[in-house]
Amino acid sequence: MYSNIPNNGNQQANPFVANKEDEIDLKVLLFNYLQYWPWIGICMFLGIVFAFAFNRYSTPIYQIQSSVLIEDEEASLGMDLFESAGFGGFQGQSNIENEIGILKSYTLAEESINALDLNVEYFEEGFVRTTRRYDNPAILVSVDWNQNQLVEGMFRLEVLNDESFELTIENDEFKIFDPKDPYYKTQPKNQVRLSKSIYNFGEEIRGEDFAFTVNQVSSLAGDNLLFRLVDSPSLALKYREDLAVAPTNKQSAILTLTLETPVRRLGEDYINKLMEMYLQRELGEKNRASESTIEFIDDQLTGISADLQSSESRLQEYRTENQVFNLSQEGSVIFEQLQELEKEKSQTELNLRYYQTLKDYLLSNQSGDLVAPSLIGVADPLLNSLVESLSELQAENERLTSNFTEESPFVRENQNRIANSKRALLENVNSAIANTENVLADLNSRIRMIESDVSSLPETERNLISIQRQFTINENIFVYLLQKKAEAQITMAANMPKNTILDTAKAGQLPIAPKTSLNLLIGLILGFIVPIGFITVKDFLNTKIEDPKELEKQIKVPLIGMIGRNQSEDAIPVLNNPRSSVTESFRSLRADMSYLSPSRDNLTILFTSSISGEGKTFVSINVASVYALMGKKVILLGLDLRKPKIAEDFNLPNDVGMSTCLSSDTDWRKAVKPTGYKNFDVLLSGPIPPNPAELLLQEKFGKILREIKSEYEVVIFDCPPVGLVSETKELFAFSDINFFVFRQAYSMKGNTQILNNLVEKGGVSKIYGILNDVHVDKGYGYGYGYGYGYGYGNNSYGYHEEAQLPWWKRALRRK
């Protein structure tokens, strides 16, 4: 039973009571969810089943890893000089971020893909999933990428025999790859169609925007295979995004390359090829200086070789014609002096040509490869260092521009360094040219002095010295250039990448996805959360009264009792089934009546509700019946003149009743009808009048009611819903106890305000709440079927018969 105990202003609040109420609320909340435990259990089981199926049939993903050691280089002499001179900070260490950018560059990815020939993807269709085939495909598709091709769509191939197959389009989401514009694909203008369906292996399959050939490898008759064409730019972009490159830690110079893919061997091959192309790129950058040197020397040798052959022929012809083979002692001395000076002059002229070439290179703002001065024979350490530094900065600029735009801070900073390096190098070159020209002028002066001594020799010997001198000059230059070319070739052959592959690509033994245990846990959690969330949202959006505890809090009057659901179709279970739990609830309500009204001899009870259908007639009939069982003389008044129902429940004709008595001179005693049960009479509402409200407001109704009270001990009013009609409010003045009936899962929560307004604004006293048709368990002890239905657990002690509950509710009840 429930009652609202008013709080006296002088009474001090008890914190222990509040805590207990909170504890009860938690129990209510818990049991609200526990009543759905079979559905929650089923959802959790389904969650685990779905997670298991996902783990079983999803494509496993493997992680491929390798590592590269990035070697650091000390700053060169030129770098130190520039830094000390204030030209900006030049870093001697390799920039880890730049190396990461190179490894993740589009160009490197495209070179690796082209080297591996990954433009055709093969698949095998399984019962549940389609698996990509990489190693040893059963067929081999050859594609002509020099013409337009259909990419991204899927072809299906069914092998008919060793010579032929049937080709169909499985997925027509094609795009057209144009080799003239490889980075922008277009949609086909027309639907893609094949000229025929049966083809022979090795036959070219050609259409409007495609041309390829399918070759037999190891397929068998009946095999169903899938394949699709993918262009290199798309693959390069995909693998570039999928590849992760990061240092092992902040201080480390070791980079770890990671790729997640469903095909382990493909991932290993791609990363290994990527690292191979990365080292080849680095080696190629190192060899560029040697290649440029060899090219420069070859250009010089082209002219010297012709001059050498010409001078050699002249020398032989002169010796033969004049029978002169050796110089005199004096001529030999002069010739040796001239030879030494000419050799030095030749080297100086070669150096001057190099300086001039280097100056032209700097002034023209070229970005090609520089020839190292040391390879030409220039022994200027500062100049060598400056040229080396400029070469490194230009190589760095190529790396950066392949991964960043011109407006990137990295690119702009590096270009500023290049500009500073060129400016310093140009100043050094101008100085070197001036010095070399001075040296060359001095050598020419010394040569002219020695040439004056040649005039004292005989004419034949003078001519021989001149011809032999020219031959010796060309020979020395030719031999010197050949020596430098050999040195450059040796240097190029000895070049090695400074970076090192520490670990080749290896795949993990177990897939990283799907995560079996985690997915099972997620499935279990979702299977629990989803029904809980659904129940919570359903309860939150539910506008019907469900929880007696919540109803008790919302109304301003005591909730005096609850009536359980009538499991039978009998409208009067109190009289027809006296041992039912519903009957017991009415007995309990009758017992509480003695505390609600001091009058024990005569009692007038009014029943109403907010709307029709909440069970006020059912309650009023059975309350009247429970008093009749006590031996009280009871009469039930049908005051709902608009929608009467009492006659139907007693199978009586509603031909005469209260409306008849109020609208005519008919004595009410003649309108009273026996119900067929001892001590229980009923005065029906009678025919529906046109003015029911006005009839009940007549003084005649009060007179009739006083006569009825004088002859009956208990008078029950079955009134119309107070929320719909107005006459019920006038009837409260004639009753001793008033009951406002709510129906579980039927009455709206907002209807509680109607009852509160009756108390607060209408001044109705001695009104109480009753919850009818209680059948939904919203908390511990509140559900009908647990004994008396009022919180006594399951201790029914055999006093009344309980309705048979479902097995899962009986199992929960035993808990």
Side-chain angles (χ1 to χ4, degrees), residues 4 8 173 195 445 538 578 585 677 693 781:
N4 287 345
N8 193 333
E173 296 180 358
S195 59
S445 176
K538 181 179 72 70
S585 64
Y677 299 99

Side-chain angles (χ1 to χ4, degrees), residues 464-483:
L464 179 60
I465 289 175
S466 177
I467 296 173
Q468 190 168 356
R469 171 188 170 190
Q470 187 64 37
F471 170 75
T472 304
I473 292 171
N474 292 331
E475 184 182 31
N476 290 337
I477 295 175
F478 186 79
V479 171
Y480 177 78
L481 290 176
L482 286 179
Q483 178 185 355

Side-chain angles (χ1 to χ4, degrees), residues 37 810-815:
W37 73 265
R810 295 198 304 272
L812 179 62
R813 176 177 170 183
R814 283 194 291 271
K815 292 181 180 295

Side-chain angles (χ1 to χ4, degrees), residues 489-504:
Q489 290 175 336
I490 292 172
T491 301
M492 186 171 65
N495 279 339
M496 293 291 291
K498 70 178 186 299
N499 300 328
T500 308
I501 298 177
L502 293 182
D503 296 314
T504 57

Side-chain angles (χ1 to χ4, degrees), residues 767-779:
I767 187 168
Y768 307 96
I770 290 179
L771 183 60
N772 182 37
D773 194 27
V774 178
H775 61 282
V776 179
D777 185 11
K778 301 297 291 185

